[in-house]
Amino acid sequence: QQQVKQSPQSLIVQKGGIPIINCAYENTAFDYFPWYQQFPGKGPALLIAIRPDVSEKKEGRFTISFNKSAKQFSLHIMDSQPGDSATYFCAASFFGNEKLTFGTGTRLTIIP
Amino acid sequence: DGGITQSPKYLFRKEGQNVTLSCEQNLNHDAMYWYRQDPGQGLRLIYYSQIVNDFQKGDIAEGYSVSREKKESFPLTVTSAQKNPTAFYLCASSIYDVNTGELFFGEGSRLTVL
């Protein structure tokens, strides 16, 4: 069964800290790994995505680290702000598969 | 503005009633999806459609039905056969498939069964 396991379920970090959210996958055919950000009462929105030909991707304060041999990837948020408080979902897919498999989500709270 | 419109935002239903959730997109996307979101369970795929008049079951299709008569529209019916229908329902679309680009989500419909 295709699964993506996400941890932690919730995370509280002080402003300026670096929250890290981890995901692990089982299917080695996965070749697309996006992260989605969801604010309360809204739909998720794509934050950043990576493919396995690189080990790291940065977009602003958000970085994905990817470890192909360990089948793990993680999201780091540099200089976190209260406005980053949201639920974050990792996901995975592979070419020819119409479906994204989502992790269970991490509720992140950044306290001032 | 281009986007996905879901309605209604909130819906209450009595047990035994069917209810239909609307999803319309003006992004000219080929693919559309319905997800169910429950606390601690992430997003689970109910149905998806890559082309008009064709759709496929997702991981939790039982108790749900869809139609795709127009490219812009992908309504979801929650039938009385769905045993635990109270949830947050999200519609999404993408260019063709999720591997080539992002999913665009609507703002969701929250269904409560009384």
Side-chain angles (χ1 to χ4, degrees):
Chain A
Q1 184 180 5
Q2 300 175 2
Q3 283 189 342
V4 177
K5 296 182 180 180
Q6 184 173 347
S7 64
Q9 189 173 4
S10 63
L11 185 58
I12 300 174
V13 173
Q14 202 149 17
K15 177 184 173 183
I18 306 176
I20 301 173
I21 304 171
N22 300 299
C23 285
Y25 62 95
E26 298 174 357
N27 190 339
T28 55
F30 285 146
D31 63 357
Y32 175 64
F33 303 91
W35 285 88
Y36 281 78
Q37 180 189 53
Q38 183 183 30
F39 293 106
K42 303 293 184 182
L46 180 65
L47 186 63
I48 186 173
I50 196 169
R51 296 196 183 270
D53 52 341
V54 295
S55 60
E56 186 177 275
K57 183 175 181 180
K58 291 183 181 180
E59 287 189 4
R61 296 183 294 107
F62 300 92
T63 299
I64 299 179
S65 297
F66 184 79
N67 186 330
K68 189 173 182 178
S69 60
K71 294 187 288 184
Q72 295 176 347
F73 58 109
S74 60
L75 176 70
H76 301 232
I77 305 175
M78 309 301 289
D79 186 27
S80 58
Q81 302 296 316
D84 296 328
S85 297
T87 299
Y88 293 82
F89 293 96
C90 62
S93 181
F94 57 87
F95 184 78
N97 180 11
E98 306 88 351
K99 302 183 290 184
L100 264 180
T101 299
F102 282 90
T104 51
T106 297
R107 186 170 182 175
L108 173 64
T109 303
I110 307 298
I111 54 176
Chain B
D1 283 44
I4 298 182
T5 301
Q6 288 187 241
S7 63
K9 196 171 180 69
Y10 299 95
L11 186 62
F12 297 88
R13 183 194 99 179
K14 292 182 180 179
E15 279 192 29
Q17 291 181 335
N18 293 356
V19 61
T20 297
L21 307 181
S22 170
C23 179
E24 302 279 332
Q25 56 102 356
N26 59 5
L27 299 168
N28 198 33
H29 285 170
D30 293 300
M32 296 188 74
Y33 308 79
W34 274 105
Y35 286 89
R36 170 179 171 143
Q37 184 174 8
D38 297 282
Q41 296 196 50
L43 303 174
R44 294 182 291 168
L45 183 64
I46 304 172
Y47 268 98
Y48 63 100
S49 168
Q50 288 190 293
I51 194 170
V52 174
N53 292 323
D54 187 44
F55 47 83
Q56 306 296 327
K57 291 182 179 180
D59 300 318
I60 56 166
E62 186 176 350
Y64 299 98
S65 65
V66 294
S67 62
R68 187 86 186 276
E69 297 177 0
K70 299 186 299 181
K71 186 176 183 178
E72 306 80 23
S73 179
F74 192 41
L76 173 74
T77 296
V78 185
T79 75
S80 57
Q82 169 50 233
K83 295 179 180 178
N84 185 20
T86 295
F88 189 52
Y89 291 89
L90 287 160
C91 179
S93 71
S94 67
I95 294 175
Y96 177 66
D97 68 63
V98 295
N99 202 261
T100 59
E102 68 182 282
L103 277 180
F104 290 83
F105 284 89
E107 294 203 337
S109 293
R110 186 167 296 280
L111 172 64
T112 302
V113 174
L114 304 174

